[in-house]
Amino acid sequence: MIKIYKDNLNTRDEIFSLKVNVKDVSSIVREIIENVKTRGDKAVFEYNKRFDKADLTTLRVSEKEIEDAYKSVDKEFIEVLEYASKNIRAFHEKQVRKGFEISNEEGVITGQKIIPIERAGIYVPGGTASYPSTVLMDAIPAVVAGCEKVVMVTPPNRDGKISPVILASAKIAGVTEIYKVGGAQAIAALAYGTESIPKVDKIVGPGNAFVAEAKKQVFGVVSIDMIAGPSEILVVADNKNRPCDIAADLLSQAEHDKMASAVLITDNYGFASHVREELERQIPLLERSDIARESIDNNGKIIVADDLSRAIEIANVIAPEHLELCIDNPFEYLKLIKHAGSVFLGRNCPEAVGDYLAGTNHTLPTSGTARFSSALSVDDFIKKTQYIYYDKDALSKVSNKIDYFARKEGLTAHAKSATIRFEDNE
C-alpha cells in the first residue's frame, strides 16, 4: 500500500527514491558491443537466437512485410495512428529552426547553418509490451528535421517477426529501414554498423537496463538522446478532484514497470486517504496488476503539503518526467514550474493524452534530469554549423586586436596568422 507522508522531505532522493536492486550489466554489455563490433551480422544472428529465440537468415524487414503488416492492422487503429501522427508532426514542425546571417560591418559576414544529421537510429523496445507510440514519437521528429535515413531496430518474436502495429506505425512515421534486432546488440549494430545494418549518427529511444548501458558505452562513437531511467509521474492535486481520477493517473505510470514511480502531492490529508483507498480498489483490476502493485508499494508516495504553493516548490525539487497540475488556474501555476519534462494542465488532461495523441513528445528526461535537459525534439536531429567571412579590409581593421588577444594567451602562431597578410614578405 502506498504511504502518506507529511511535508518534511526536502530533496529528490528523499521524495522520489526507488527501492529496487539494479544489477550492474556494464561488463555484459561491453562484451556484446565488442562482439558485434568485430563480428558484425554473425554476432547479431547469434544474439537474436540466444536472447529472442529467433533463428533468422536476414535482418532487414522487407517492403512486403511492411505492406502486409499495414494491411493486417484494423482500419480503426490505422486511423488513430494517422490522427496521432498528424498532431505529432504539426507540433514538431513548429520546432524547425532556420539559420541566420549577420552583416553589420562592411566586409564581415557571420552566420549559422542548420543541417540535419544524415542517419538517425531509432530503438523501439519489445518484450512485455508493444509500443507503436514510441515509433511515432521518435521517428517523426527525425523525419521533420530532414534526416536522410531513419533506421529502426526492434527485437523479433520467436517466429522472427515484428508486431504488425509496430511496422504499420513505422510506415506512417516515415521510417526508411527496419531491422530485426533488439537489446545491447542492436545499439552496437547502429553505433558501429554491420554488413546489413548501417552505422548511424545518433541513437534515440527507450529500452531496458542493457539498452541504456549500451547507449552509455557507445556515446562518443555516436550521439544519443538520453540515458532514460524508470518512468515517473508527479501529480499535484487538490480535493476538488475525484480520487478515482487521480488514482488512475498514478497507475498510468506504475503499470509501465516495477521500477516506475508515482507520487501525489496534495494539500488535503482526507483527499490523500481517499486516493490511497482508490488505488487499492483499482490495482487488482489492471491487466498488469502485479507490476503496478510492486511499483506503488515500493516507489509510490503521497505527500501532504501545507498548500499548493509548497506543492509546486516540491515539484521543482523533484523535476519529474511527467507533471500533472490537477488544480484550478493551472496556467498560473505553470509560470512557477522550473523543472519538468512535460506538464499536463487541468483536471481533464491525464498523462496518457501526451503519450499518444496531443502531439507533444513522450520521450522525456527522467531521474531529475529535467533540471538540465528536455523532451526529444527536432533539435535532437540537427547540427548547427557556424560560418565566418572577412574581406582583407575588414581583417586589417581588427588584426592588431587578434594579435594582442592571441599573445595574451601565449599563442604566437594565432597572432601571426592575423598579421602576416599585411606584411611585406616578397
Side-chain angles (χ1 to χ4, degrees), residues 408-425:
K408 281 292 185 182
E409 293 188 344
L411 300 175
T412 54
H414 280 65
K416 192 68 173 176
S417 71
T419 60
I420 195 169
R421 287 165 170 78
F422 308 103
E423 297 174 3
D424 186 4
N425 292 319

Side-chain angles (χ1 to χ4, degrees), residues 387-412:
Y387 58 90
I388 309 165
Y389 169 81
Y390 273 60
D391 67 17
K392 192 164 186 177
D393 285 343
L395 180 60
S396 70
K397 295 174 184 176
V398 297
S399 61
N400 62 327
K401 292 182 174 65
I402 297 170
D403 175 84
Y404 184 80
F405 207 146
R407 290 183 187 280
K408 281 292 185 182
E409 293 188 344
L411 300 175
T412 54

Side-chain angles (χ1 to χ4, degrees), residues 40-58:
D41 279 357
K42 189 172 182 181
V44 173
F45 283 123
E46 290 172 0
Y47 286 127
N48 273 343
K49 189 171 183 179
R50 176 179 169 185
F51 295 128
D52 296 307
K53 314 303 180 188
D55 192 2
L56 303 178
T57 57
T58 184

Side-chain angles (χ1 to χ4, degrees), residues 89-321:
R89 187 167 280 106
F91 183 86
H92 289 81
E93 283 174 350
K94 291 291 185 181
Q95 298 173 340
V96 174
R97 296 190 185 208
K98 294 182 180 180
F100 61 83
E101 193 166 274
I102 302 171
S103 183
N104 292 337
E105 300 177 49
E106 188 175 350
V108 177
I109 298 172
T110 57
Q112 179 174 278
K113 290 179 61 179
I114 303 298
I115 307 170
I117 64 173
E118 291 184 11
R119 292 167 290 184
I122 309 296
Y123 185 89
V124 177
T128 58
S130 177
Y131 298 109
S133 60
T134 296
V135 180
L136 301 182
M137 294 291 180
D138 290 356
I140 289 175
V143 173
V144 171
C147 298
E148 291 181 15
K149 283 189 176 183
V150 180
V151 181
M152 190 178 95
V153 291
T154 190
N157 63 21
R158 289 173 178 265
D159 296 328
K161 297 180 179 180
I162 306 298
S163 166
V165 296
I166 293 295
L167 295 182
S169 300
K171 177 181 173 64
I172 290 169
V175 172
T176 52
E177 300 176 22
I178 307 171
Y179 295 91
K180 301 175 182 179
V181 55
Q185 57 273 24
I187 302 301
L190 289 174
Y192 292 99
T194 71
E195 296 88 340
S196 298
I197 302 171
K199 171 181 168 59
V200 301
D201 302 306
K202 184 163 188 171
I203 301 172
V204 306
N208 61 18
F210 291 90
V211 171
E213 178 62 27
K215 287 170 69 177
K216 186 186 300 183
Q217 290 190 22
V218 301
F219 177 67
V221 177
V222 292
S223 178
I224 61 172
D225 53 347
M226 63 186 78
I227 304 297
S231 186
E232 55 194 39
I233 186 170
L234 171 60
V235 179
V236 175
D238 57 27
N239 66 351
K240 296 179 184 178
N241 293 278
R242 299 194 308 169
C244 60
D245 296 344
I246 302 305
D249 289 1
L250 294 171
L251 291 172
S252 72
Q253 293 306 294
E255 73 173 351
H256 265 301
D257 65 67
K258 297 175 182 180
M259 296 170 67
S261 293
V263 172
L264 165 65
I265 307 177
T266 182
D267 58 351
N268 185 285
Y269 190 91
F271 180 72
S273 298
H274 290 315
V275 171
R276 178 165 63 180
E277 294 169 2
E278 189 62 31
L279 285 168
E280 293 304 304
R281 187 188 72 81
Q282 290 187 27
I283 288 173
L285 305 178
L286 301 175
E287 289 188 14
R288 297 162 68 90
S289 60
D290 291 346
I291 294 172
R293 171 90 275 163
E294 190 164 339
S295 168
I296 289 294
D297 288 353
N298 290 338
N299 307 320
K301 283 184 174 68
I302 299 177
I303 301 169
V304 180
D306 290 338
D307 52 41
L308 291 179
S309 294
R310 173 57 182 160
I312 297 299
E313 289 180 12
I314 299 171
N316 282 325
V317 170
I318 293 174
E321 178 187 13

Side-chain angles (χ1 to χ4, degrees), residues 371-384:
R371 290 178 295 107
F372 52 80
S373 57
S374 308
L376 189 76
S377 71
V378 170
D379 285 349
D380 284 285
F381 300 99
I382 62 168
K383 302 175 295 177
K384 299 176 283 290

